[in-house]
């Protein structure tokens, strides 16, 4: 998966707005509990969400949106909250270096 360069957004690259990519989300129609697990959510549900993300046509813009808007809860772009925290640190670090 290739994210847009820092300071650049997937939407700018492709001309697709955040609203438009969401209309193609593979998670549309699933209950919130699948993509917004809580502490006592069984890990199999988290894995189920990540599996759905792995087939999603808009995984990249979804993850980029989550990183750029600091979505701290839920599964976005196939990443958990913890995975995204690590990715976001790297993403911000790169962004600061190139600013
Ligand atoms: S990548 Fe996952 S969370 Fe994002 S839109 Fe697709 S299915 Fe939904």
């Amino acid at each position: 998966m290739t994210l847009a360069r820092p300071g650049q957004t997937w939407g700018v690259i492709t001309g697709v707005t955040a609203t438009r990519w969401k209309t193609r989300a593979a998670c549309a129609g699933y209950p919130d509990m699948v993509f917004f697990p809580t502490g006592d959510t069984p890990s199999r549900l988290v894995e189920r969400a990540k599996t759905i993300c792995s087939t999603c046509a808009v995984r990249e813009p979804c993850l980029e949106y989550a990183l750029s808007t600091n979505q701290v809860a839920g599964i976005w772009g196939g990443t958990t909250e913890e995975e995204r925290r690590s990715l976001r640190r790297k993403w911000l670090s790169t962004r600061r270096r190139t600013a």
Side-chain angles (χ1 to χ4, degrees), residues 21-22 36 62-77 79-85 88:
W21 71 256
K22 287 180 182 178
F36 289 91
C62 175
L63 178 57
E64 182 181 333
Y65 175 81
L67 293 173
S68 65
T69 58
N70 197 18
Q71 298 294 319
V72 294
I75 307 290
W76 293 80
T79 62
T80 63
E81 297 161 12
E82 185 176 345
E83 291 166 339
R84 217 165 39 253
R85 271 195 297 275
R88 184 167 160 77

Side-chain angles (χ1 to χ4, degrees), residues 21 24-28 35 49 52-53 56-60 62-63 75-78:
W21 71 256
R24 297 173 58 203
C27 54
F35 284 86
I52 294 166
C53 290
C56 182
V58 291
R59 186 175 172 192
E60 287 183 39
C62 175
L63 178 57
I75 307 290
W76 293 80

Side-chain angles (χ1 to χ4, degrees), residues 17-69:
T17 65
T19 304
R20 284 180 59 196
W21 71 256
K22 287 180 182 178
T23 65
R24 297 173 58 203
C27 54
Y30 280 91
D32 283 352
M33 66 177 286
V34 176
F35 284 86
F36 289 91
T38 59
D40 56 356
T41 299
S43 60
R44 65 180 166 72
L45 283 184
V46 173
E47 291 309 313
R48 181 175 175 207
K50 292 174 79 170
T51 299
I52 294 166
C53 290
S54 73
T55 66
C56 182
V58 291
R59 186 175 172 192
E60 287 183 39
C62 175
L63 178 57
E64 182 181 333
Y65 175 81
L67 293 173
S68 65
T69 58

Side-chain angles (χ1 to χ4, degrees), residues 8-17 20-21 61:
Q8 187 179 37
T9 66
W10 190 87
V12 169
I13 297 168
T14 63
V16 175
T17 65
R20 284 180 59 196
W21 71 256

